[in-house]
Amino acid sequence: MIQRPYTVVLIVPTGVGAAIGGYAGDALPVARAISAICDRLITHPNVLNGAQLYWNLPNALYVEGYALDKFASGCIGLQPIHQNRVGLILDQGIEPELRVRHLQVADAARATLGLNLTDYVVTDAPLNVELRTAASGASWGTIGNPDSLLRAAEVLIQQAKADAIAVVARFPDDLGSEALQAYRHGQGVDPLAGAEAVISHLIVRTFQVPCAHAPALMPLPLDPDLSPRSAAEELGYTFLPCVLVGLSRAPQFVESHKAKFQLPAPTQNFTSRRGDIWASDVDAVVIPASACGGSALLSLSRQSQTQIIAVEENQTSMQVSPEDLGIQAIRVNSYLEALGVLVAHRAGISAEALSPSLSSLHCLSVRGKPASRST
Amino acid sequence: MSHSLSTVTMTTHFITAEIDIQETPVQLQQAIEAELQKRGEPLRWAITRVDSDRQIAQVEAIVTVESDTAAAL
Protein backbone atom coordinates (compact mmCIF):
# COMPACT_ATOMS: atom_id res chain seq x y z
CA MET A 1 0.00 0.00 0.00
CA ILE A 2 1.32 3.42 -0.88
CA GLN A 3 0.93 6.04 1.85
CA ARG A 4 1.76 9.68 1.79
CA PRO A 5 4.94 10.62 3.70
CA TYR A 6 4.09 11.38 7.32
CA THR A 7 5.21 14.97 7.80
CA VAL A 8 5.64 16.70 11.16
CA VAL A 9 6.39 20.35 11.91
CA LEU A 10 8.20 20.92 15.21
CA ILE A 11 8.13 24.48 16.52
CA VAL A 12 9.87 25.84 19.61
CA PRO A 13 9.56 29.62 19.26
CA THR A 14 12.79 31.58 19.54
CA GLY A 15 13.52 33.92 22.44
CA VAL A 16 10.57 33.00 24.67
CA GLY A 17 12.44 31.08 27.36
CA ALA A 18 11.18 27.63 26.38
CA ALA A 19 12.17 25.19 29.12
CA ILE A 20 13.19 22.76 26.38
CA GLY A 21 14.71 24.46 23.33
CA GLY A 22 15.17 27.90 24.83
CA TYR A 23 18.91 27.46 25.30
CA ALA A 24 21.76 26.02 23.24
CA GLY A 25 19.97 23.84 20.72
CA ASP A 26 18.49 21.82 23.54
CA ALA A 27 15.38 20.79 21.61
CA LEU A 28 17.62 18.80 19.27
CA PRO A 29 16.98 15.55 21.16
CA VAL A 30 13.24 16.15 20.64
CA ALA A 31 13.86 16.67 16.92
CA ARG A 32 15.96 13.51 16.76
CA ALA A 33 13.23 11.49 18.45
CA ILE A 34 10.46 12.84 16.20
CA SER A 35 12.55 12.36 13.08
CA ALA A 36 12.85 8.68 14.00
CA ILE A 37 9.08 8.16 13.84
CA CYS A 38 8.10 10.33 10.87
CA ASP A 39 9.05 10.45 7.22
CA ARG A 40 9.78 14.18 7.10
CA LEU A 41 10.46 16.61 9.91
CA ILE A 42 10.23 20.33 9.22
CA THR A 43 11.79 22.46 11.91
CA HIS A 44 13.78 25.64 12.35
CA PRO A 45 17.29 26.76 13.36
CA ASN A 46 16.36 27.44 16.99
CA VAL A 47 15.62 23.73 17.37
CA LEU A 48 18.59 22.34 15.46
CA ASN A 49 21.40 24.80 16.20
CA GLY A 50 23.68 23.79 19.04
CA ALA A 51 26.56 26.16 18.27
CA GLN A 52 29.50 23.75 17.98
CA LEU A 53 27.13 20.79 18.18
CA TYR A 54 24.74 19.58 15.49
CA TRP A 55 23.27 16.31 14.30
CA ASN A 56 22.66 15.23 10.77
CA LEU A 57 19.01 14.21 10.39
CA PRO A 58 18.59 13.03 6.79
CA ASN A 59 14.81 13.46 6.87
CA ALA A 60 14.79 16.89 8.54
CA LEU A 61 14.25 20.15 6.68
CA TYR A 62 16.00 23.19 8.19
CA VAL A 63 13.64 26.10 7.57
CA GLU A 64 14.16 29.58 8.99
CA GLY A 65 11.21 31.14 10.84
CA TYR A 66 10.08 33.65 8.21
CA ALA A 67 10.09 30.94 5.55
CA LEU A 68 8.30 28.59 7.93
CA ASP A 69 5.53 31.17 8.34
CA LYS A 70 5.22 31.58 4.56
CA PHE A 71 5.31 27.82 4.06
CA ALA A 72 2.52 27.38 6.63
CA SER A 73 0.42 30.05 4.94
CA GLY A 74 0.71 28.29 1.58
CA CYS A 75 2.78 31.06 0.00
CA ILE A 76 5.82 28.89 -0.63
CA GLY A 77 6.72 25.24 -0.91
CA LEU A 78 9.91 23.56 0.24
CA GLN A 79 12.15 21.94 -2.34
CA PRO A 80 14.65 19.45 -0.92
CA ILE A 81 18.12 19.79 -2.46
CA HIS A 82 21.38 17.86 -2.26
CA GLN A 83 23.66 20.80 -1.58
CA ASN A 84 23.62 24.57 -1.20
CA ARG A 85 26.51 26.91 -1.84
CA VAL A 86 26.59 28.82 1.41
CA GLY A 87 27.67 32.46 1.41
CA LEU A 88 29.01 33.96 4.64
CA ILE A 89 28.35 37.54 5.79
CA LEU A 90 30.53 38.93 8.56
CA ASP A 91 29.51 42.08 10.41
CA GLN A 92 32.08 44.87 10.04
CA GLY A 93 31.68 45.38 13.79
CA ILE A 94 33.47 42.08 14.53
CA GLU A 95 36.99 42.57 15.90
CA PRO A 96 39.86 41.29 13.66
CA GLU A 97 40.77 38.31 15.82
CA LEU A 98 37.15 37.22 16.22
CA ARG A 99 36.69 37.58 12.45
CA VAL A 100 39.59 35.22 11.85
CA ARG A 101 38.06 32.70 14.24
CA HIS A 102 34.88 32.68 12.16
CA LEU A 103 36.74 32.40 8.89
CA GLN A 104 38.59 29.41 10.30
CA VAL A 105 35.25 27.77 11.08
CA ALA A 106 34.21 28.32 7.48
CA ASP A 107 37.45 26.78 6.23
CA ALA A 108 37.09 23.89 8.67
CA ALA A 109 33.57 23.23 7.43
CA ARG A 110 34.94 23.03 3.88
CA ALA A 111 37.93 20.85 4.73
CA THR A 112 36.49 18.58 7.41
CA LEU A 113 32.82 18.34 6.42
CA GLY A 114 33.13 18.96 2.68
CA LEU A 115 30.66 21.83 2.66
CA ASN A 116 30.46 24.14 -0.33
CA LEU A 117 31.04 27.78 0.61
CA THR A 118 31.41 30.82 -1.62
CA ASP A 119 33.82 33.65 -0.89
CA TYR A 120 32.65 35.78 2.02
CA VAL A 121 31.56 39.41 2.43
CA VAL A 122 32.17 41.89 5.24
CA THR A 123 29.31 44.38 5.62
CA ASP A 124 30.08 47.95 4.52
CA ALA A 125 29.01 49.27 7.95
CA PRO A 126 28.68 47.78 11.44
CA LEU A 127 25.23 46.22 11.78
CA ASN A 128 24.73 47.71 15.26
CA VAL A 129 22.47 45.07 16.77
CA GLU A 130 20.44 46.31 19.74
CA LEU A 131 18.78 43.91 22.17
CA ARG A 132 15.47 44.39 23.91
CA THR A 133 13.28 42.44 26.30
CA ALA A 134 9.57 43.10 25.84
CA ALA A 135 6.81 43.25 28.44
CA SER A 136 5.94 39.63 27.69
CA GLY A 137 9.45 38.55 28.66
CA ALA A 138 10.34 37.67 25.06
CA SER A 139 13.63 38.90 23.65
CA TRP A 140 13.48 41.05 20.54
CA GLY A 141 16.02 43.23 18.81
CA THR A 142 16.58 45.79 16.12
CA ILE A 143 19.33 46.26 13.56
CA GLY A 144 20.91 49.67 13.14
CA ASN A 145 22.01 49.12 9.54
CA PRO A 146 19.69 46.65 7.84
CA ASP A 147 20.58 48.05 4.41
CA SER A 148 24.21 47.11 4.93
CA LEU A 149 23.14 43.55 5.74
CA LEU A 150 21.01 43.36 2.60
CA ARG A 151 23.73 44.82 0.36
CA ALA A 152 26.12 42.12 1.58
CA ALA A 153 23.56 39.40 0.88
CA GLU A 154 22.93 40.82 -2.58
CA VAL A 155 26.64 40.56 -3.44
CA LEU A 156 26.80 36.95 -2.27
CA ILE A 157 23.69 35.93 -4.18
CA GLN A 158 24.29 37.82 -7.40
CA GLN A 159 28.08 37.78 -7.72
CA ALA A 160 29.16 34.70 -5.77
CA LYS A 161 26.03 32.70 -6.71
CA ALA A 162 25.35 31.72 -3.12
CA ASP A 163 22.06 29.93 -2.64
CA ALA A 164 21.98 30.13 1.16
CA ILE A 165 23.27 32.83 3.49
CA ALA A 166 24.97 32.50 6.88
CA VAL A 167 25.25 35.74 8.87
CA VAL A 168 27.57 36.44 11.77
CA ALA A 169 26.68 39.70 13.51
CA ARG A 170 28.54 41.23 16.42
CA PHE A 171 26.22 41.15 19.42
CA PRO A 172 26.70 43.27 22.53
CA ASP A 173 28.77 41.56 25.23
CA ASP A 174 26.72 41.60 28.38
CA LEU A 175 28.98 39.95 30.90
CA GLY A 176 27.43 41.13 34.13
CA SER A 177 23.74 41.06 33.23
CA GLU A 178 21.28 39.01 35.23
CA ALA A 179 19.69 37.75 32.01
CA LEU A 180 22.98 36.27 30.81
CA GLN A 181 23.72 34.67 34.16
CA ALA A 182 20.25 33.13 34.26
CA TYR A 183 20.63 31.89 30.68
CA ARG A 184 23.97 30.25 31.44
CA HIS A 185 22.25 28.47 34.31
CA GLY A 186 19.39 27.20 32.13
CA GLN A 187 16.81 29.74 33.24
CA GLY A 188 15.05 32.74 31.72
CA VAL A 189 15.05 33.92 28.14
CA ASP A 190 17.91 33.83 25.62
CA PRO A 191 18.64 37.57 25.40
CA LEU A 192 20.09 37.24 21.87
CA ALA A 193 17.54 35.04 20.16
CA GLY A 194 14.95 37.63 19.21
CA ALA A 195 17.46 39.85 17.43
CA GLU A 196 18.97 36.84 15.67
CA ALA A 197 15.58 36.01 14.22
CA VAL A 198 15.17 39.57 12.93
CA ILE A 199 18.44 39.31 10.98
CA SER A 200 17.58 36.05 9.25
CA HIS A 201 13.97 37.13 8.63
CA LEU A 202 15.20 40.24 6.79
CA ILE A 203 17.30 38.22 4.38
CA VAL A 204 14.69 35.53 3.75
CA ARG A 205 11.97 38.14 3.19
CA THR A 206 14.10 40.11 0.75
CA PHE A 207 15.84 37.37 -1.23
CA GLN A 208 13.80 34.19 -0.62
CA VAL A 209 16.89 32.10 0.13
CA PRO A 210 17.61 29.98 3.20
CA CYS A 211 19.37 31.96 5.91
CA ALA A 212 20.48 31.49 9.50
CA HIS A 213 22.46 33.51 11.98
CA ALA A 214 25.22 33.00 14.51
CA PRO A 215 26.17 35.75 16.96
CA ALA A 216 29.79 36.83 17.40
CA LEU A 217 30.66 37.32 21.06
CA MET A 218 33.82 37.40 23.10
CA PRO A 219 34.36 34.11 24.98
CA LEU A 220 32.86 34.13 28.48
CA PRO A 221 34.84 33.41 31.63
CA LEU A 222 34.62 29.81 32.80
CA ASP A 223 31.50 29.01 34.84
CA PRO A 224 31.73 25.66 36.62
CA ASP A 225 27.96 25.74 37.28
CA LEU A 226 26.97 26.09 33.64
CA SER A 227 23.67 24.38 32.78
CA PRO A 228 23.92 21.39 30.44
CA ARG A 229 21.18 23.07 28.34
CA SER A 230 23.43 26.09 27.72
CA ALA A 231 26.78 24.34 27.55
CA ALA A 232 26.95 23.81 23.76
CA GLU A 233 27.53 27.53 23.29
CA GLU A 234 30.64 27.54 25.45
CA LEU A 235 32.70 24.91 23.69
CA GLY A 236 34.61 27.19 21.39
CA TYR A 237 35.00 30.62 19.87
CA THR A 238 31.97 30.67 17.59
CA PHE A 239 28.39 29.42 17.17
CA LEU A 240 28.83 29.07 13.41
CA PRO A 241 29.37 25.32 12.75
CA CYS A 242 25.73 24.28 13.21
CA VAL A 243 24.54 27.13 10.97
CA LEU A 244 26.81 26.11 8.08
CA VAL A 245 25.78 22.47 8.44
CA GLY A 246 22.07 23.32 8.58
CA LEU A 247 22.20 25.65 5.59
CA SER A 248 24.27 23.25 3.50
CA ARG A 249 21.16 21.11 2.95
CA ALA A 250 18.35 23.51 3.77
CA PRO A 251 15.48 23.25 1.28
CA GLN A 252 15.00 25.96 -1.30
CA PHE A 253 11.72 27.82 -1.68
CA VAL A 254 9.27 27.59 -4.54
CA GLU A 255 6.47 30.04 -5.00
CA SER A 256 2.87 28.93 -5.03
CA HIS A 257 0.84 30.10 -8.00
CA LYS A 258 -2.24 29.76 -5.83
CA ALA A 259 -0.87 31.87 -2.97
CA LYS A 260 -3.22 34.45 -1.58
CA PHE A 261 -0.37 36.64 -0.40
CA GLN A 262 2.18 38.46 -2.50
CA LEU A 263 5.81 37.76 -1.72
CA PRO A 264 8.01 40.86 -1.41
CA ALA A 265 10.41 39.41 -3.98
CA PRO A 266 10.20 36.46 -6.35
CA THR A 267 11.87 33.24 -5.30
CA GLN A 268 15.25 32.48 -6.87
CA ASN A 269 15.73 30.15 -9.81
CA PHE A 270 13.77 27.25 -8.42
CA THR A 271 10.65 26.13 -10.21
CA SER A 272 8.06 23.87 -8.71
CA ARG A 273 8.54 20.17 -9.24
CA ARG A 274 7.30 16.83 -8.01
CA GLY A 275 8.54 16.18 -4.48
CA ASP A 276 8.09 19.75 -3.31
CA ILE A 277 6.48 19.94 0.11
CA TRP A 278 3.48 22.18 0.79
CA ALA A 279 1.50 23.11 3.88
CA SER A 280 -1.23 20.69 2.83
CA ASP A 281 1.32 17.87 3.26
CA VAL A 282 1.71 18.55 6.98
CA ASP A 283 0.17 15.81 9.12
CA ALA A 284 1.05 17.10 12.58
CA VAL A 285 2.48 20.11 14.40
CA VAL A 286 4.15 19.90 17.80
CA ILE A 287 4.28 23.15 19.80
CA PRO A 288 4.65 24.29 23.43
CA ALA A 289 1.13 24.63 24.86
CA SER A 290 1.71 28.21 26.07
CA ALA A 291 3.17 29.52 22.80
CA CYS A 292 0.40 29.04 20.25
CA GLY A 293 0.32 32.66 19.05
CA GLY A 294 2.71 32.45 16.12
CA SER A 295 1.82 32.95 12.49
CA ALA A 296 2.80 29.43 11.38
CA LEU A 297 0.50 27.71 13.86
CA LEU A 298 -2.42 30.01 13.08
CA SER A 299 -2.03 29.16 9.40
CA LEU A 300 -1.69 25.42 9.91
CA SER A 301 -4.66 25.32 12.28
CA ARG A 302 -7.04 25.89 9.37
CA GLN A 303 -6.20 22.46 7.95
CA SER A 304 -8.52 19.85 9.39
CA GLN A 305 -6.14 17.00 8.51
CA THR A 306 -3.30 18.51 10.53
CA GLN A 307 -3.11 17.24 14.12
CA ILE A 308 -1.83 19.91 16.50
CA ILE A 309 -0.12 18.59 19.61
CA ALA A 310 0.40 21.07 22.45
CA VAL A 311 3.10 20.12 24.96
CA GLU A 312 2.42 21.45 28.45
CA GLU A 313 5.76 20.59 30.04
CA ASN A 314 7.68 22.88 27.70
CA GLN A 315 6.77 26.10 29.48
CA THR A 316 7.56 29.48 27.96
CA SER A 317 7.16 33.16 28.82
CA MET A 318 4.17 33.32 26.44
CA GLN A 319 0.60 32.95 27.67
CA VAL A 320 -1.30 31.85 24.59
CA SER A 321 -2.97 28.45 24.70
CA PRO A 322 -4.63 26.76 21.71
CA GLU A 323 -8.01 27.22 23.44
CA ASP A 324 -7.45 30.98 23.73
CA LEU A 325 -7.44 31.20 19.94
CA GLY A 326 -10.00 28.54 19.12
CA ILE A 327 -7.36 26.12 17.82
CA GLN A 328 -8.25 22.44 17.99
CA ALA A 329 -5.34 20.63 19.63
CA ILE A 330 -4.48 17.54 21.63
CA ARG A 331 -2.84 18.52 24.91
CA VAL A 332 -0.08 16.26 26.20
CA ASN A 333 2.15 16.62 29.21
CA SER A 334 5.52 15.81 27.66
CA TYR A 335 7.37 15.26 24.40
CA LEU A 336 7.47 11.56 25.29
CA GLU A 337 3.67 11.60 25.24
CA ALA A 338 3.68 13.66 22.03
CA LEU A 339 5.78 10.95 20.40
CA GLY A 340 3.11 8.41 21.32
CA VAL A 341 0.36 10.56 19.81
CA LEU A 342 2.40 10.92 16.61
CA VAL A 343 2.98 7.18 16.34
CA ALA A 344 -0.72 6.48 16.84
CA HIS A 345 -1.74 9.20 14.39
CA ARG A 346 0.63 7.90 11.75
CA ALA A 347 -0.70 4.38 12.24
CA GLY A 348 -4.29 5.57 11.93
CA ILE A 349 -5.12 4.73 15.55
CA SER A 350 -7.35 7.07 17.52
CA ALA A 351 -5.46 8.21 20.62
CA GLU A 352 -8.72 7.74 22.60
CA ALA A 353 -8.57 4.00 21.95
CA LEU A 354 -5.30 3.81 23.88
CA SER A 355 -6.80 5.14 27.11
CA PRO A 356 -8.79 3.00 29.60
CA SER A 357 -12.02 4.96 29.25
CA LEU A 358 -13.77 5.16 25.92
CA SER A 359 -17.26 6.59 25.84
CA SER A 360 -20.07 5.27 23.63
CA LEU A 361 -20.98 6.99 20.41
CA HIS A 362 -23.84 9.48 20.47
CA CYS A 363 -26.42 9.85 17.78
CA LEU A 364 -26.44 13.21 16.06
CA SER A 365 -29.77 14.86 15.51
CA VAL A 366 -31.21 15.36 12.05
CA ARG A 367 -33.12 18.63 11.45
CA GLY A 368 -33.21 19.33 15.17
CA LYS A 369 -34.86 16.01 16.12
CA PRO A 370 -32.81 13.88 18.53
CA ALA A 371 -32.85 10.25 17.38
CA SER A 372 -33.10 7.39 19.84
CA ARG A 373 -30.35 4.81 19.79
CA SER A 374 -31.44 1.73 17.85
CA THR A 375 -30.80 -1.70 19.28
CA MET B 1 14.22 42.40 -7.13
CA SER B 2 11.97 45.34 -7.66
CA HIS B 3 14.38 48.05 -6.58
CA SER B 4 18.06 48.74 -6.00
CA LEU B 5 19.00 48.27 -2.35
CA SER B 6 21.47 51.15 -2.54
CA THR B 7 18.59 53.65 -2.84
CA VAL B 8 16.61 52.32 0.14
CA THR B 9 17.06 53.36 3.73
CA MET B 10 15.37 50.86 5.97
CA THR B 11 14.86 50.98 9.71
CA THR B 12 13.62 48.27 12.06
CA HIS B 13 11.14 49.02 14.86
CA PHE B 14 9.73 47.11 17.79
CA ILE B 15 5.99 47.75 18.23
CA THR B 16 3.06 46.38 20.21
CA ALA B 17 -0.60 46.16 19.28
CA GLU B 18 -3.92 45.00 20.69
CA ILE B 19 -6.17 43.14 18.28
CA ASP B 20 -9.75 41.98 18.79
CA ILE B 21 -10.11 38.22 18.83
CA GLN B 22 -11.78 37.08 15.60
CA GLU B 23 -14.05 34.20 14.79
CA THR B 24 -11.28 31.98 13.44
CA PRO B 25 -7.49 31.83 13.91
CA VAL B 26 -6.93 32.68 10.24
CA GLN B 27 -9.15 35.78 10.50
CA LEU B 28 -7.18 36.82 13.57
CA GLN B 29 -3.94 36.39 11.65
CA GLN B 30 -5.26 38.58 8.86
CA ALA B 31 -6.42 41.23 11.33
CA ILE B 32 -2.99 41.29 12.99
CA GLU B 33 -1.15 41.63 9.69
CA ALA B 34 -3.50 44.39 8.53
CA GLU B 35 -2.94 46.33 11.76
CA LEU B 36 0.85 45.91 11.64
CA GLN B 37 0.85 46.94 7.99
CA LYS B 38 -0.36 50.38 9.05
CA ARG B 39 2.87 50.86 10.95
CA GLY B 40 5.39 49.30 8.54
CA GLU B 41 6.13 46.04 6.78
CA PRO B 42 5.66 43.19 9.29
CA LEU B 43 8.84 41.16 9.69
CA ARG B 44 8.18 39.06 12.79
CA TRP B 45 5.29 38.98 15.21
CA ALA B 46 3.65 36.87 17.87
CA ILE B 47 0.58 36.97 20.05
CA THR B 48 2.06 37.01 23.53
CA ARG B 49 -1.07 37.01 25.68
CA VAL B 50 -4.83 36.79 25.29
CA ASP B 51 -7.11 38.82 27.55
CA SER B 52 -10.18 36.61 27.47
CA ASP B 53 -12.36 39.09 29.38
CA ARG B 54 -11.78 41.85 26.83
CA GLN B 55 -11.35 39.39 23.95
CA ILE B 56 -8.09 41.06 22.98
CA ALA B 57 -4.86 39.54 21.67
CA GLN B 58 -1.69 41.35 22.67
CA VAL B 59 0.88 41.32 19.90
CA GLU B 60 4.59 42.14 19.86
CA ALA B 61 6.24 42.72 16.49
CA ILE B 62 9.15 44.00 14.51
CA VAL B 63 8.26 46.03 11.42
CA THR B 64 10.52 47.61 8.87
CA VAL B 65 10.00 51.10 7.53
CA GLU B 66 11.60 52.59 4.43
CA SER B 67 13.01 56.09 4.47
CA ASP B 68 10.05 58.02 3.10
CA THR B 69 7.67 56.69 5.78
CA ALA B 70 10.07 56.50 8.76
CA ALA B 71 8.84 59.82 10.16
CA ALA B 72 5.32 58.42 10.59
CA LEU B 73 6.32 56.22 13.55
Side-chain angles (χ1 to χ4, degrees):
Chain A
M1 185 168 67
I2 297 171
Q3 293 187 332
R4 76 185 211 145
Y6 191 74
T7 303
V8 178
V9 172
L10 171 64
I11 299 173
V12 182
T14 303
V16 299
I20 300 168
Y23 302 92
D26 56 313
L28 184 46
V30 176
R32 288 186 61 197
I34 293 177
S35 77
I37 53 102
C38 68
D39 294 308
R40 296 185 297 212
L41 171 65
I42 299 168
T43 189
H44 52 113
N46 186 55
V47 169
L48 296 176
N49 285 354
Q52 303 275 330
L53 299 184
Y54 50 82
W55 195 270
N56 179 37
L57 297 171
N59 62 339
L61 294 121
Y62 181 87
V63 182
E64 191 274 343
Y66 185 87
L68 192 57
D69 289 348
K70 293 298 167 192
F71 163 76
S73 72
C75 250
I76 61 170
L78 305 177
Q79 189 164 96
I81 50 86
H82 294 296
Q83 181 186 78
N84 286 318
R85 288 181 305 277
V86 182
L88 176 63
I89 296 174
L90 298 173
D91 181 354
Q92 195 190 87
I94 300 172
E95 295 84 341
E97 187 177 318
L98 199 50
R99 180 188 297 181
V100 172
R101 293 284 186 194
H102 284 89
L103 290 172
Q104 288 175 345
V105 171
D107 278 341
R110 295 168 59 227
T112 303
L113 301 180
L115 303 192
N116 191 348
L117 270 71
T118 72
D119 287 330
Y120 66 95
V121 170
V122 177
T123 60
D124 55 18
L127 295 177
N128 291 341
V129 175
E130 290 186 13
L131 308 180
R132 167 192 289 267
T133 301
S136 67
S139 69
W140 293 85
T142 52
I143 314 300
N145 285 311
D147 295 324
S148 181
L149 175 70
L150 298 179
R151 282 193 292 273
E154 188 175 35
V155 168
L156 285 173
I157 293 165
Q158 293 189 352
Q159 291 183 27
K161 306 300 178 195
D163 29 38
I165 301 291
V167 184
V168 183
R170 184 67 167 100
F171 271 50
D173 293 312
D174 202 10
L175 292 175
S177 80
E178 284 181 19
L180 177 61
Q181 293 313 313
Y183 178 76
R184 294 181 83 190
H185 295 148
Q187 293 169 351
V189 175
D190 179 352
L192 311 183
E196 292 194 82
V198 168
I199 291 170
S200 55
H201 278 43
L202 268 172
I203 290 183
V204 176
R205 188 181 77 179
T206 307
F207 298 102
Q208 305 292 316
V209 295
C211 178
H213 174 266
L217 295 159
M218 296 309 276
L220 292 167
L222 183 67
D223 181 349
D225 299 322
L226 195 65
S227 165
R229 293 201 171 278
S230 306
E233 291 176 356
E234 302 208 14
L235 305 180
Y237 297 99
T238 86
F239 299 5
L240 186 55
C242 61
V243 166
L244 297 177
V245 168
L247 288 174
S248 70
R249 298 194 66 187
Q252 289 290 334
F253 311 134
V254 288
E255 202 166 342
S256 169
H257 298 297
K258 297 178 197 164
K260 290 180 188 171
F261 308 104
Q262 286 265 309
L263 290 170
T267 51
Q268 301 291 310
N269 304 315
F270 292 86
T271 50
S272 183
R273 67 182 183 210
R274 203 170 165 203
D276 294 346
I277 303 162
W278 298 91
S280 56
D281 297 319
V282 174
D283 295 291
V285 185
V286 182
I287 183 115
S290 61
C292 292
S295 178
L297 189 71
L298 293 180
S299 295
L300 290 168
S301 72
R302 70 186 165 186
Q303 303 185 155
S304 59
Q305 86 281 5
T306 302
Q307 176 65 67
I308 295 167
I309 302 169
V311 180
E312 293 172 354
E313 195 173 58
N314 195 6
Q315 294 180 356
T316 73
S317 65
M318 301 289 97
Q319 300 173 54
V320 185
S321 69
E323 297 80 15
D324 284 336
L325 303 177
I327 293 172
Q328 298 287 324
I330 291 185
R331 275 183 173 265
V332 297
N333 182 53
S334 66
Y335 283 109
L336 281 171
E337 201 178 332
L339 286 162
V341 172
L342 289 169
V343 168
H345 189 233
R346 178 181 186 164
I349 298 166
S350 165
E352 283 182 340
L354 302 178
S355 69
S357 57
L358 188 62
S359 58
S360 299
L361 295 175
H362 296 282
C363 186
L364 295 173
S365 61
V366 179
R367 292 181 193 162
K369 287 185 180 176
S372 58
R373 187 172 181 138
S374 57
T375 55
Chain B
M1 290 174 58
S2 57
H3 55 243
S4 165
L5 290 171
S6 59
T7 63
V8 176
T9 302
M10 180 191 286
T11 48
T12 56
H13 303 267
F14 173 80
I15 63 172
T16 58
E18 290 193 336
I19 311 291
D20 292 335
I21 295 286
Q22 309 285 312
E23 207 163 305
T24 69
V26 171
Q27 285 173 337
L28 177 59
Q29 181 182 33
Q30 290 166 352
I32 290 169
E33 294 195 344
E35 177 60 30
L36 297 179
Q37 202 86 45
K38 295 175 189 169
R39 300 166 70 179
E41 190 62 38
L43 183 65
R44 182 171 189 251
W45 59 263
I47 304 168
T48 60
R49 203 168 84 84
V50 173
D51 183 333
S52 38
D53 293 339
R54 295 165 59 214
Q55 285 294 292
I56 293 282
Q58 295 190 341
V59 175
E60 293 176 357
I62 297 285
V63 297
T64 59
V65 178
E66 298 195 355
S67 54
D68 54 341
T69 54
L73 276 170

